[in-house]
Structure formats: structure tokens, C-alpha cells
Amino acid sequence: MSTSIPNGSSVLEDEASDVLHEPLLMQYQQPLRLRRSQSNTTSQLAIVGSNLCPIESLDYEIIENDFFKQDWRSRGKIQICQYIFMKWIFCLLIGLTVSLLGFFNNLAVENIAGMKFVVTSNMMLARKFMVAFLVFASSNLCLTLFASVITAFIAPEAAGSGIPEVKAYLNGVDAPAIFSFRTLIVKIVGSICAVSASLNIGKAGPMVHTGACIAAIVGQGGSKKFRLTWKWLRFFKNDRDRRDLVTCGSAAGIAAAFRSPVGGVLFALEEMASWWRSALLWRSFFTTAVVAIVLRALIDICLRGECGLFGKGGLIMYDVTSANISYHFMDVPPVLLLAIIGGILGSIYNFLLNKVLKLYNVINGKGIAFKIILACSISVFTSCLLFGLPWLASCRACPSNLSEPCPTIGRSGNYKKFHCPPGYYNDLASLFFNTNDDAIKNLFSKDTDSEFHHSSMLIFFATCFFLSIVSYGIVVPAGLFVPVIVTGAAYGRFVGMLVGSNSNLNHGLFAVLGSASLLGGSMRMTVSLCVIILELTNNLLLLPLIMLVLLISKTVADAFNGNIYDLIMTSKGFPYLETHAEPYMRQLTVRDVVTGPLQIFHGYEKVGNIVHVLKTTGHNGFPVVDEPPVCMSPVLFGLILRANLLTLLKSKAFLRNPAPVGSDAFVRFSADDFAKKGLGHVDKVEDIELSEEEMEMYIDLHPFTNTSPYTVVETMSLAKALILFREVGLRHLLVIPKISGRVPVVGILTRHDFMPQHILSLHPMLMRSRWKRLRFRFPQLDKFI
């Protein structure tokens, strides 16, 4: 009997556990025992020492069976117009909801953190320094504790930024519960509390995940539980439309976080989406435009003082420099040096963060108590640094002719008083004793070249660099964008201080370029980051310098390691399909990677056989083969999904004899019965009760089988099959024999079969021919870190 791949699309299955290579599991030699679970334990918080639940692929392929054809042909112009109209309505709803949540998120952070700083500042004014520290540290600890508890107990999937999960989903990976309603709620509340707790984390990543959650919930095709069964919604019960909406939601999340509509679209295009087309571009652009308009209206309300003591309703435009900026050829060398160093720092940042995540995986894998203790420990340590380090800075006299009060007392501003006497301010407290947004504003400000001391800026940079690494990976929603921006801004301003009068560029502009260099060195994006920074600073004259910095920093950092989100996806074990094929894949054919046994159904199959196969395998797709006397010779009729078989078993569409079902099936079923279930709704064969008599009956699978599955001949190169698999967005790719007269199907390729770990486990001799980028490696350094 010929061998083949297990023909399901579960990436992690019982049958494939011996060939699966999970990086963190292999790193610590933990046994791999797989079981199905409702909780997603694939996050970086619980991947080591835990039982992983299966990660499945998404069904982007159109299932062309008799019911699909019947349903499509029954659609008239009115139904098609309804479908198109609902797409735009969903984009409008996503834009409105994400913008309101982004506004509420920023408003809550500013007011909660603002009140905390006011109370602490009042204690400082009263010279009660120890009481002030206790208030500051205890407030941060309580906020962190609450965020970690709700995340650990209610929705572990909400931990981290969420960008790797969304990116993997748009690549075709369906990790459990990442878009559930409880994940959405915990993501919103946990992000507000964690950012307000002065942890060096951001809210941009969680906003991307929030936007994707909203899009996935809106686009799940209604809900029977809440009686949202409007027939217009049933058109969206498929993974293709849900994928497009999630792409729009991720773009809206960036637009709401940075008030950058065009940057959000480009971010989704450059970093998130694996499949793109012009229609999706229009809808994502419309979604982010709605976000920008709503935020603009809400910010106008807040500017009238109706949003609390501190709330502005969104990121304000950072005033970097004057409109008449001028730079010359002599300014280019310092910018080039800044970009090169930024690329090196970004690669170091990624390397250290990856190491810290592996360490945290060991700690978090010991149980929920260890997760919460780790989060609280980081909070206390952060509070000690933020409150203690400003004491190292000397008080500086307030500059004259300022447009704002100095020192700043009881409000946001550039000149924090801290412990200084009247008329003096603490420049380090002006950065540490603020939210990250206000710290960025202070660093980007124009006409402030003499505001900060060299030592203060160096201390702030080193502290932010360190805290942003150790703060990510704890069991709270946490983003990386804002910490990298503020760290890069500190580095850039420090370079500007060193350059001094030798450059025409002010320190605020150097801070912007420093943020761009560290972003490019860590996240390896160019176009989207360039537009986001331009929309943040509202200064198009910066475009040439930012483009130059991003290109150089990305190129330098690529010589050392990959971008941070790819590293996190790898550590989580997401089977992400890259755009390129490894060279050794051209040495292999698809026949070389399929493994058996292959489960095949006949066109007329006994109910008992179907139940047995569904119970004993985790496969999600099964070839349907007709054999004599139905036809002259064995022939591949098509592919049927597990979900469709479960629907047939639940409805008990059985026949006493193996014969065609006839036209009665079209009356008994509709195409909606075989549509994609909503989020979190999965049928199980164990829940279906069948009698002994029913187990001996038959099902005619022909009307329910996809008669046009994608197939490749067994001699096709694996590299060519990978390109087809990824570009089309497949879940199953049937392998057929080259010579007729054999079994009509050799096997099924799924996402798992294109993973390098699986291929190299079957053919270890190809390890040497694996494609390696020209990168500098330091194996001796790995031994000590």
C-alpha cells in the first residue's frame, strides 16, 4: 500500500507528534503529549511543559459541490448587491468600533496614570518621599496584578501583543480562541491596566489584536445564541470573507493606535496579510478612513476639556521641528551612523528578547501562580527603577521664556519638579514620571536642545532598552511598538547631543530618526513605518531622511537575525508559510514527504466506517474514491471535509442500501447547513448518538464532496507545490500518481508537510543544503545567554 500524509489539516496531531519539531519544546527536551483543548496554550506564556492543543488551518478554498452550485446559481442580482453592501457595512462597523475603543483606551490610560502621578506628586511636594514611593509602587502593583489575573484565568490568548497571532491567522493558521469575545474583553481591560501600571509596554499591538477580534466577531455570519440569524449574514460564514475583515480590522487597529490611517493600510499590506488584492485595499482604506474621521471628532471634544484631567482622546501630533527645516550634505554622515547603530541595536534587541521569552516560557510553564508572581515581580522592579533613578539626576534651573509652566506640577509636561526646589526641574523625572506617550512628546519636542543632560539621556535609554525586553512576555496584554519608539527616541536624542553644533538638525529631529532606526532594526518594516512616523509628526519634509534611516537600519539588522514578530511566531510554534522555498525543496518531490496511512472513503460509505475513522483520526479532509461496480476503474471523485461528514451524521441522512440519494437531499439540506461554524463552535463525533441499525446504513457522499480539489502530480517538486499551496491559500493539496492504473490518490499535502522541521526529520541529509542567509552569528555568545 502506498504511503501518504495523514490527510487532515491539523498541524499538531497525534499521528504526527513524532515528527513535529517544536523549538521551545526541543530546547528544553520536554515530552510532547498532544490533546485537544478549548484553551489556546500556544502562546509564549505556556508553550513549554504544557499539553498543546491542535492548531488547524483555515478553509480558504471554495468548496464546489452540488450544494454550492445550487446556492450560487440561486443568487440573483439582489443577493449579490446585498453581499457587497454588507461587506462595506461591516467595514464601517469595524472602523466605528475600533476608533471608539482606541479613543476609550487612550483616554482611560491617560486619566488612570495621570491620577496616579498627581497623587504621587502631591506626596513629593509634602516631602513624604517614602509614602510617595509606596503609593506609586502599590498602584502599579495593583494594576499589574489585576491585568495578570484576568489574563491568566480568563483568556491566556490575550497575553502579548497579538500581532504574531493575527499574522499567523492571515497566513492560514487557526489557533484556538484568539478571536473569542472573552479574549477581546481581556485584551481591552488588561491593556489599559498594564499600560497604566507604568510597565514599559505599548498599546499599539493590543489594538491590532482588538481590531482583528472585532472584525472576526462581526464577520462570523451571525449568532443563533443571540438570535442574529438574518439571512444576509449567512453569506459570510466562510474563512475567505472573515480573513478579509480581519485584515481590515488589523489596519484599523494601527490607525486607531497612532491616528495613522494610511500607515494602518500599509502595515496590513506589508507585515500582516499573506494575500492581497485591490478590492481588499479599498475596503481597508475605507475602514481606516472611518477611524481617522471618528478620532478627529472625538479629539476635538477632548480639546474643549471634556475628557477628564489629562485625556486628549488620542495620540497628539508630535511637534518635532519648524516648518522650514533645512539640512545639508554635512548632516548626512551622522544620520547614516545613527541608522547603522540603530540596525545593530535592533538586532541585539530581538536576540535578547527571544532569549528572555524562552526563559519566561520555563517560568510560566510551571503554573498560573508563577505567571502572576513573575508579572508582579517585574512591576515592583519597574517601579523601583522609575522612582529611584531620577534621584541620580541633578536639578536643573528652569529655562526662561517658556510657553508652559516650569516646573510642571499636577499635570503633563516637559519639566517635572520631582524633589527639586522651586524654579528647578528634574530632567530624568520628566521622562520616567510620565506615560510613554508623554515621554515621546518630550523627546520629539522642538527647541528643547538644552532640556536634557547627556547622562540623563543615556540612563533613560539603557533603562528603556532593558525594561522593554523584560516587560514583554509576562501574562498581560503588551505591545512592542511604543517601547521601541521611546527607546529609539532616547538613543537618537543622545546621538544628537553628541553631534551638537556640527549638525543643522535639532535634537527632536534626531529623536525621530532614532525611533525610525530602532523600529527598522527590530521590526524590519520600511514603507508602513515611514508613513506611520510621518503621520505622527505631521511633517512631510522628514521623508528623505526617514526613508534613508529605515532602509539602512533594516539592511544592517537583517545581517544578524529575523524580525521580532517572526521570532515570536517561531517560539510559539505557529506553522507560518514563508514566501520563499528552501533550496533543498527543489531536490525533493511531493512524494518524498507524504507519510501514511491514507484514509479513503468510497462514494457510498457505511455509517459505521465513517464514525470509526472520525473517532480514530484527527484528519480534516478525506479523499472520496469511486471503485467498481460504480465505475470501470478506481477514480478520484473529490474531497470531503470532516465538518461536512459531521453535518451528515447529525442530520442522519442515511440510506439502507448504497444508492444515489436523489433530489430529496436538495430539499432536506441547504448550502447554509454546510457553512463555516461561528467562532468557538466545533461539532464533535462523540456528541452524535447513533443506533446499531443506523451504523449499518449508508451515506451517499457524492452530492457533498468537493469535486474540484487542487491536485498535483507526485513528481512535482516540493518547492513548486509550496508556491501553489501558499499563493492560493490551500488547506489540502491532493497528490495523484503519475502513472494510471494505480490508486487514484497517493496522499494529501497539508501545511505541516511544508514545515522545515518535518521535511528535515524525514531527510536529515538535506540539513547542509538548507538555505542560510548571509548573517553574522556568535555561537560563543549563545552559551552565556
Side-chain angles (χ1 to χ4, degrees), residues 749-763:
L749 289 171
T750 61
R751 176 178 296 268
H752 169 68
D753 300 288
F754 295 103
M755 293 295 105
Q757 296 85 357
H758 170 68
I759 300 170
L760 295 176
S761 67
L762 296 177
H763 306 279

Side-chain angles (χ1 to χ4, degrees), residues 339-415:
I340 293 173
I341 299 177
I344 297 174
L345 289 175
S347 62
I348 295 174
Y349 181 88
N350 292 2
F351 173 79
L352 294 177
L353 182 58
N354 194 35
K355 295 295 183 181
V356 169
L357 287 180
K358 290 181 179 180
L359 174 62
Y360 284 1
N361 278 316
V362 177
I363 299 174
N364 292 326
K366 297 181 181 296
I368 292 180
F370 286 86
K371 298 179 183 180
I372 297 175
I373 292 174
L374 175 62
C376 293
S377 301
I378 296 298
S379 175
V380 173
F381 180 68
T382 302
S383 298
C384 292
L385 287 181
L386 299 186
F387 193 89
L389 289 178
W391 293 87
L392 300 178
S394 58
C395 295
R396 299 167 65 89
C398 290
S400 57
N401 302 323
L402 289 177
S403 59
E404 61 174 299
C406 179
T408 303
I409 301 175
R411 55 182 292 277
S412 299
N414 283 36
Y415 303 95

Side-chain angles (χ1 to χ4, degrees), residues 142-375:
C142 291
L143 290 169
T144 304
L145 178 63
F146 179 72
S148 61
V149 167
I150 63 174
T151 304
F153 283 98
I154 300 177
E157 302 81 11
S161 71
I163 291 180
E165 286 84 353
V166 179
K167 184 176 180 179
Y169 178 88
L170 295 178
N171 189 256
V173 179
D174 188 16
I178 60 172
F179 294 143
S180 64
F181 184 73
R182 58 184 174 85
T183 301
L184 172 63
I185 298 300
V186 172
K187 200 76 177 185
I188 296 171
V189 178
S191 176
I192 292 174
C193 294
V195 175
S196 301
S198 294
L199 294 172
N200 196 15
I201 57 178
K203 53 184 182 291
M207 275 305 304
V208 173
H209 195 181
T210 298
C213 286
I214 293 171
I217 293 173
V218 168
Q220 69 176 340
S223 172
K224 293 182 179 180
K225 180 179 179 181
F226 298 101
R227 298 182 180 180
L228 297 175
T229 56
W230 195 18
K231 65 179 182 180
W232 286 20
L233 298 176
R234 68 184 177 91
F235 296 141
F236 295 88
K237 290 186 176 181
N238 62 81
D239 288 329
R240 297 182 309 281
D241 290 318
R242 195 175 299 169
R243 173 191 64 189
D244 291 348
L245 291 175
V246 169
T247 304
C248 295
S250 63
I254 285 292
F258 294 118
R259 210 174 71 178
S260 173
V262 180
V265 175
L266 294 176
F267 175 80
L269 169 62
E270 182 178 7
E271 180 65 16
M272 304 299 292
S274 295
W275 296 279
W276 197 267
R277 61 185 189 279
S278 59
L280 182 58
L281 176 65
W282 277 103
R283 280 194 290 273
S284 59
F285 185 74
F286 170 73
T287 307
T288 57
V290 172
V291 172
I293 294 171
V294 174
L295 280 181
R296 180 71 265 174
L298 294 173
I299 291 174
D300 287 341
I301 296 176
C302 287
L303 292 177
R304 297 199 296 265
E306 301 177 11
C307 294
L309 294 176
F310 302 93
K312 298 296 182 183
L315 283 175
I316 62 175
M317 289 293 183
Y318 296 131
D319 187 13
V320 180
T321 185
S322 60
N324 297 322
I325 179 176
S326 62
Y327 45 87
H328 307 287
F329 179 78
M330 294 302 297
D331 299 318
V332 175
V335 173
L336 294 178
L337 180 63
L338 182 144
I340 293 173
I341 299 177
I344 297 174
L345 289 175
S347 62
I348 295 174
Y349 181 88
N350 292 2
F351 173 79
L352 294 177
L353 182 58
N354 194 35
K355 295 295 183 181
V356 169
L357 287 180
K358 290 181 179 180
L359 174 62
Y360 284 1
N361 278 316
V362 177
I363 299 174
N364 292 326
K366 297 181 181 296
I368 292 180
F370 286 86
K371 298 179 183 180
I372 297 175
I373 292 174
L374 175 62

Side-chain angles (χ1 to χ4, degrees), residues 766-782:
L766 297 175
M767 179 67 73
R768 293 183 178 180
S769 62
R770 186 175 184 181
W771 182 71
K772 297 180 180 179
R773 304 187 68 170
L774 181 60
R775 284 176 174 166
F776 300 98
R777 301 186 182 277
F778 304 96
Q780 297 299 325
L781 184 61
D782 292 342

